Amino acid sequence: MHFPSLTPRGMRIISPMSVRRGHSDRRTGHAPLVATRRRPLSTRVVAALWSLACGCSIIGCYQSSPPPLRPEPAEESRNPRPAKIIAQGQLLPAGGLIRLNGTPGDVVESILVKVGDPVVVGQQLVVLRSASYRQSQLDTLRQQLSEAELQQAAAVDRAQIELSAARMQVSQAEEQLRSVKRREQSLPLLKRQWEDAQAALERAEAMAKDPLTRTLVSRLDIDKQRASATAAQLQYEQQRETLELAMESAEWGQKLAAEELSGADKSLELAKKADPASVIRAQMKGAEQQLAAAQIVSPIDGRVVSVDARIGESVGPMPLVQVADLTRMVCQVEIYQTDAPLVKIGQAAQLMSDAFEQPLRAKVARIDRLIGYPQLRSSDPLAKVDYRTLPVLLEVAEEDTVAAARWLQLQVEVTIPVSEMPSEESAAGQEADAPRPSKTQGVPPTAPRPSKTQGVPPTAPRPSKTQGVPPTQGVPAT
């Protein structure tokens, strides 16, 4: 089929056939890329009119008005409230699983319980090999503690005896000082006697010297009076020196007794404060802790749920025994973050699993605030894995506790009916879910602005080298 060319008069027409055949141009000597045959004028006019009509139709299509905007769906139709919430959960004791570990490096000597046995607080579950050594070490420390306490009591008794003796010495020194002071009261009398004897001697000597009274006093009387005065003087001086020495001795004795009393008092205080048994008590505390680590005991009343210890094995970082209180059970649930506003405290729930003959009943007891990545994965291989969840705690009904406690950490499917929300909470939830009016509500929407290329005809694709080129019919081959 031949298409008319739109080239004006005198221009050459590209001939693909001539290009493929490799003919040469007679005037230029180059490869013959054009044909020199001219078309009739009527043919060229028809082709120009046809091209003009096609261009006008394309421009008209682009300049036509844009289609009307599709109204946005309502908020309720885009985010309908689900009738129930389905999530994954895990059954656990309300008090959690208590894992009992031993001292790393020790060896299991004996196991006293098995899975399912009831236990009480303080009951021994596993015995380690170091328990006997720790027990003997503790007994030795207890004996040393008793001996240290006896020594301390004896030291306190000795200090008390010394204090009593010092107090007695103080009292004796005080009594001696009082006795010396009483003896000092006789010094004035002796002094008076000495003075009287001395005065009598002086009178006798005066009478002996007076011629009138010389005959009345003999030489012998004067000598006797002199001897009496000398004796009184000696007695007074001796008594005074004796009392001075006694007073000095009593004062020194009182000071020494007071110092001994002070020393005995300090010794008693030090004996009471000095506690050589404190070091032994600290050692006993460490030995008791080591013994407790070697004797695995139950910290609660409950049941044994797992025994991972083996006799003769070395203790590692893993727990030897796990116990739990199975009287109350809970379910830790992970709900989608988009369903968080639909969950309320006290809301009913059902726990379903193939392990149960019938669903278990529960209710929402706690709603956390921290949203994170899920830890429980659905068993559906086509379920979504990239999402975030909110932890919710369900309390299992008392009548279903026994069934829930049969398999701990069992993953269940949780269903929370949204329609069973309390009336007040439902009203509050509806009020919270109602869309708030925007600031521009009631204002007519602004017509969308056309894009830069709206109404402009697209650029026609460029033809390839051979597209639209008429065949070289009627061109003779060279």
Side-chain angles (χ1 to χ4, degrees), residues 12 117 137 200 204 336 448:
R12 294 176 294 175
D117 288 350
Q137 184 182 11
Y336 289 102

Side-chain angles (χ1 to χ4, degrees), residues 227-265:
S228 176
T230 304
Q233 182 181 1
L234 291 175
Q235 185 179 1
Y236 168 73
E237 291 178 356
Q238 289 178 358
Q239 187 68 18
R240 186 185 64 183
E241 292 178 359
T242 301
L243 290 177
E244 288 178 356
L245 292 175
M247 180 63 70
E248 186 177 358
S249 176
E251 290 177 352
W252 277 105
Q254 187 180 11
K255 291 181 180 180
L256 292 176
E259 292 179 357
E260 289 182 0
L261 178 61
S262 177
D265 193 6

